[in-house]
Amino acid sequence: MGFLSWLGGGDDRQLAQTRYAGRESATDRAARVERKRREDQRRNHHRQAAKADREGQRWEDRRRGLRW
């Protein structure tokens, strides 16, 4: 009957502490993945803004005849 002992239920908190000790929880993993996604998104936004700024400056310089 030992192999069916999990059917009886029990203390899930204790089971989690012993069986899954040292493993990242699903909540922690989701938070980590979301933080990385937002960080990548923010980095990409800054990169695109800097690129647009450079292109705008080049356009303005060409328009004024300062640089070709």
Side-chain angles (χ1 to χ4, degrees):
M1 185 95 169
F3 72 96
L4 293 177
S5 61
W6 60 272
L7 284 175
D11 188 2
D12 291 337
R13 185 171 301 209
Q14 181 183 9
L15 179 64
Q17 287 176 349
T18 56
R19 185 169 183 185
Y20 302 112
R23 289 181 55 185
E24 183 178 35
S25 71
T27 304
D28 291 343
R29 181 185 183 282
R32 178 178 51 80
V33 168
E34 180 65 16
R35 275 193 311 272
K36 179 163 179 7
R37 186 188 68 78
R38 287 186 184 202
E39 180 182 325
D40 291 345
Q41 195 175 39
R42 186 172 43 250
R43 186 179 301 122
N44 188 46
H45 174 77
H46 288 292
R47 202 176 302 137
Q48 292 298 327
K51 180 181 175 186
D53 185 45
R54 284 190 308 269
E55 289 175 0
Q57 188 63 50
R58 277 192 220 116
W59 180 85
E60 186 67 28
D61 288 347
R62 281 194 311 267
R63 191 172 135 301
R64 292 182 181 195
L66 300 176
R67 192 174 6 165
W68 290 99

